[in-house]
Amino acid sequence: MIPNLDWLDDAACAGMDSRAFFANGCHARAQVHAAQQVCGTCPVQAECRNWAIQTGERHGVWGGMSQQELRRTRRRFTDRSKSTTREAA
Ligand code: SF4
């Protein structure tokens, strides 16, 4: 199934250098903060965040979340899915 990525058309980061969302080096924290500022204005923030969680993105800022925040959210999402599956069994 081909994923629907139409929401990207409305992204605040459309046309920006994607490296702005993949921080590294000694200015990583400032880069993440700057990327999150852009995400804060984005009308498709929820779609972007959901995409990153569902596809297991491990790097970069997505939906206004740092990779550490995404990892924690994904873990909660996965834990909840496991407990729901166990309850259903
Ligand atoms: S939430 Fe941030 S990374 Fe995602 S589409 Fe919007 S501006 Fe881009």
Side-chain angles (χ1 to χ4, degrees):
M1 185 171 144
I2 298 171
N4 182 350
L5 297 175
D6 289 348
W7 53 269
L8 280 172
D9 294 343
D10 299 320
C13 61
M16 287 182 66
D17 185 341
S18 61
R19 287 178 292 187
F21 294 82
F22 294 89
N24 62 34
C26 59
H27 300 296
R29 186 182 293 246
Q31 263 185 291
V32 168
H33 183 69
Q36 288 174 320
Q37 298 280 38
V38 176
C39 294
T41 68
C42 185
V44 292
Q45 194 173 15
E47 289 86 345
C48 179
R49 184 181 302 147
N50 290 340
W51 167 261
I53 292 168
Q54 290 168 4
T55 59
E57 282 291 348
R58 295 187 176 277
H59 302 285
V61 172
W62 294 80
M65 298 179 88
S66 68
Q67 56 192 50
Q68 291 81 8
E69 292 168 327
L70 274 172
R71 197 174 304 132
R72 281 195 294 271
T73 303
R74 187 177 308 111
R75 203 174 300 135
R76 278 199 303 271
F77 180 79
T78 305
D79 290 348
R80 201 172 327 140
S81 296
K82 283 180 189 169
S83 71
T84 304
T85 304
R86 258 186 254 125
E87 287 168 14

